Amino acid sequence: MIITVTLNLALDVTYQVPGVDWDGVNRVSAVHRRAGGKGVNVARVLAALGRDVLVTGLAGGPTGRAIEADLEAARLPSALYGINGDSRTTLAVTDADHTALFNEPGPDVTADELAGFVQHYETLLTGADAVVLSGSLPRGVPADTYATLAAIAAGRGVPSIVDADGDPLRHAPEGRPSILKPNADELARAVPGGTPAEGAQALRGRGAGAVVVSMGADGLLAVTGEGTYAARMPYTVRGNPTGAGDSLVAGLALGLVEPDPWPDRLRRAAALGAAAVARPVAGEFDPDVYADIHPQIIIT
Amino acid sequence: MIITVTLNLALDVTYQVPGVDWDGVNRVSAVHRRAGGKGVNVARVLAALGRDVLVTGLAGGPTGRAIEADLEAARLPSALYGINGDSRTTLAVTDADHTALFNEPGPDVTADELAGFVQHYETLLTGADAVVLSGSLPRGVPADTYATLAAIAAGRGVPSIVDADGDPLRHAPEGRPSILKPNADELARAVPGGTPAEGAQALRGRGAGAVVVSMGADGLLAVTGEGTYAARMPYTVRGNPTGAGDSLVAGLALGLVEPDPWPDRLRRAAALGAAAVARPVAGEFDPDVYADIHPQIIIT
């Protein structure tokens, strides 16, 4: 079983509006609501690949209950940890020409709630084959929390992936995660100056087992204990890059539970990321694109 | 006890945004969520005046549960009837210069659900002193439903007020409600041509006990069995007219449960409507404005 941890679970809402009046009354023609947050997207991809997954994280209030209900409707097994604050909603308002995103500030998490979650997480680790730690942290959760959670997993022999930005990414190597997955911009912020290879090597030097840098259409760079590899894409997939990183992380998580060599892991992860671009919704990938691009990816 | 019926209950959400990018990512600085719908606003005003109220209506899904939780938090007694669909959300996105409103389509109500609600409503009528029927109807609810509900109340000796627009307003007199409360535009749509007095008289002729027409700063016109009265305002209250009609309806509901003559009823209703304009949020009124304007209203 692969556990995905999303400390800042969200309800992702989309309003489709036929031509928006930004200073008037708009009739919403279609509403979509689904559980969101990067770990949820990773779990959706893993479940679509037939893997056992478990979604955990912090959820509270009416929005938290809506998130839990959607996970149930999607048949994604979950064991969320309840908090007092109301979980955040992210809203996308979209017409033919524009998309405006509105991100709520989300709940404040207390120290007691976080301590309760860590206990809950330790219980869940029993029987876990790998842990995925991804996404932003809600207010009140310290920046070294992913390092803490990765270290707890490592202490029990459970490999982990961290997909984070900013301070949580900078702290992450302290927990000795198996893999860090920044994109090129996130890496440049965490380790300013130098090439992506130098930045990745620096994060490895601080404790990460491997660092995989996603570079969009330019593919992947992996600095690992077995060596450094690049995955180059044979062509560019057009579509929506939102969620491509989560699909890629799902591919890397598979590499933690199956004894494939790094070049094979990287090929699969790169193909899953590209196949997600072909789908408009995060957490999905196009199996035809996957099948087509997978053998053509160049690993060096 | 006064029952307020809101068949299309809503969760009213407000996003405050410091300068909106209508084609980008916006950080929401403050979020407000509260139970809404015209009957909820009426109940808030009645409760603030110390009256026993009961909120009923149709609610379903995660949004329905959020509505119910907010009513509980506001200590407004409620006995909602559960439906399968998700209740609607209304969203206001507001920055310094603009307010954009987004109205979700809301749930589809089945014939069985409506029949179940009518039974529920009949049970609640035991012990009711008056019923307020207000707001739009969700999809699947026939336009003559307010007429049906008013007739059921009348059959049990319970007086009713209907505050509706369009076809529900046109059908309402068939149920012999005690009072119909259209605004001037709604009246003109329901009875095209003629003066407000003629329109109101026409609706009385079709079965309404009295018709009270709200005309904003121009006051009220009441065509009743005791005669025709006008309430003229001594001055214009500046502020937010949203919710003024609901506060006015609360005042008219008081007139149904207390044996005041029509001029006194009208004076109180007009003062409550004006006092609501002084508050930015629907369902509230300013007691100082009420105390000041009440004696100055001119009834003719």
Side-chain angles (χ1 to χ4, degrees):
Chain A
M1 185 183 64
I2 299 171
I3 297 179
T4 72
V5 175
T6 314
L7 292 177
N8 211 356
L9 284 160
L11 188 67
D12 290 341
V13 181
T14 305
Y15 280 178
Q16 280 175 10
V17 180
V20 185
D21 177 356
W22 296 118
D23 203 10
V25 179
N26 299 278
R27 192 173 292 269
V28 177
S29 54
V31 183
H32 302 284
R33 286 189 163 80
R34 52 189 264 157
K38 293 173 76 66
V40 173
N41 298 336
V42 173
R44 287 186 200 276
V45 172
L46 289 169
L49 291 166
R51 307 296 160 142
D52 278 348
V53 290
L54 183 70
V55 174
T56 190
L58 305 171
T63 307
R65 284 193 292 277
I67 291 167
E68 203 155 12
D70 182 69
L71 292 174
E72 203 177 308
R75 300 191 181 180
L76 279 176
S78 69
L80 309 185
Y81 186 79
I83 56 173
N84 193 47
D86 193 31
S87 291
R88 70 194 168 112
T89 294
T90 71
L91 173 70
V93 176
T94 177
D95 67 4
D97 302 321
H98 305 82
T99 295
L101 293 168
F102 297 92
N103 292 324
E104 295 187 6
D108 269 305
V109 177
T110 67
D112 280 355
E113 287 173 334
L114 183 59
F117 172 76
V118 171
Q119 280 198 327
H120 173 74
Y121 169 76
E122 288 176 329
T123 312
L124 298 180
L125 280 178
T126 311
D129 299 312
V131 174
V132 177
L133 304 162
S134 51
S136 63
L137 300 178
R139 290 179 294 181
V141 173
D144 63 356
T145 299
Y146 283 148
T148 304
L149 298 177
I152 292 170
R156 294 166 182 244
V158 179
S160 64
I161 302 179
V162 176
D163 179 3
D165 190 11
D167 283 335
L169 170 60
R170 267 187 290 273
H171 280 286
E174 301 159 13
R176 310 190 80 75
S178 312
I179 303 175
L180 279 183
K181 203 295 292 168
N183 64 34
D185 290 344
E186 291 162 348
L187 179 65
R189 280 193 289 271
V191 187
T195 64
E198 288 164 353
Q201 197 62 63
L203 291 179
R204 266 207 85 218
R206 295 184 209 161
V211 178
V212 177
V213 186
S214 56
M215 302 181 295
D218 293 335
L220 303 180
L221 172 74
V223 177
T224 80
E226 298 173 20
T228 296
Y229 305 94
R232 270 186 293 157
M233 311 308 288
Y235 53 86
T236 300
V237 178
R238 303 270 162 216
N240 174 18
T242 308
D246 301 328
S247 188
L248 191 164
V249 167
L252 293 175
L254 290 179
L256 291 181
V257 299
E258 293 173 359
D260 298 319
W262 263 104
D264 293 347
R265 297 183 182 193
L266 215 55
R267 179 188 299 280
R268 177 163 55 186
L272 276 173
V277 175
R279 283 291 178 95
V281 178
E284 297 183 359
F285 67 93
D286 186 317
D288 294 336
V289 172
Y290 177 79
D292 185 73
I293 207 166
H294 183 265
Q296 300 185 59
I297 290 168
I298 306 125
I299 307 289
T300 55
Chain B
M1 183 183 67
I2 300 172
I3 297 179
T4 72
V5 175
T6 314
L7 291 178
N8 211 356
L9 284 160
L11 188 67
D12 289 342
V13 180
T14 305
Y15 279 178
Q16 280 173 13
V17 181
V20 184
D21 177 355
W22 295 119
D23 202 11
V25 179
N26 298 277
R27 193 173 294 268
V28 177
S29 55
V31 183
H32 302 284
R33 285 189 164 81
R34 52 189 264 158
K38 294 174 77 65
V40 174
N41 298 335
V42 173
R44 286 186 200 275
V45 171
L46 288 169
L49 291 165
R51 308 295 160 142
D52 278 348
V53 290
L54 183 70
V55 174
T56 189
L58 305 172
T63 307
R65 285 194 290 278
I67 291 168
E68 202 155 14
D70 182 69
L71 292 173
E72 203 177 308
R75 299 191 183 179
L76 280 176
S78 69
L80 309 185
Y81 186 80
I83 56 173
N84 194 47
D86 193 31
S87 291
R88 68 195 171 113
T89 294
T90 70
L91 173 71
V93 176
T94 176
D95 67 5
D97 302 320
H98 306 81
T99 295
L101 293 169
F102 297 92
N103 292 324
E104 295 187 6
D108 269 303
V109 177
T110 67
D112 280 355
E113 288 172 333
L114 184 59
F117 172 76
V118 172
Q119 281 198 325
H120 173 74
Y121 169 77
E122 288 176 329
T123 312
L124 298 179
L125 280 178
T126 310
D129 299 312
V131 174
V132 177
L133 304 163
S134 51
S136 63
L137 300 178
R139 291 178 295 182
V141 173
D144 62 357
T145 299
Y146 282 148
T148 305
L149 298 177
I152 291 170
R156 293 166 182 244
V158 178
S160 64
I161 303 181
V162 176
D163 179 3
D165 190 11
D167 283 335
L169 171 59
R170 268 189 288 273
H171 279 286
E174 301 158 14
R176 308 190 81 77
S178 311
I179 304 175
L180 277 184
K181 204 295 292 169
N183 64 34
D185 289 344
E186 290 163 348
L187 179 64
R189 279 194 290 270
V191 187
T195 64
E198 288 164 352
Q201 198 60 64
L203 291 179
R204 262 207 88 219
R206 294 184 208 162
V211 178
V212 177
V213 187
S214 57
M215 302 180 295
D218 293 334
L220 303 180
L221 172 74
V223 176
T224 81
E226 298 173 21
T228 295
Y229 305 95
R232 270 186 294 157
M233 311 308 289
Y235 54 84
T236 300
V237 178
R238 303 268 162 216
N240 174 18
T242 308
D246 300 329
S247 188
L248 192 164
V249 166
L252 294 175
L254 291 179
L256 291 180
V257 299
E258 292 172 0
D260 299 320
W262 262 105
D264 293 348
R265 297 181 182 195
L266 214 55
R267 181 187 299 280
R268 178 162 56 185
L272 276 172
V277 175
R279 284 291 179 92
V281 178
E284 296 183 0
F285 68 94
D286 187 317
D288 295 334
V289 172
Y290 177 79
D292 185 72
I293 207 166
H294 183 264
Q296 299 184 58
I297 289 168
I298 305 125
I299 306 289
T300 54

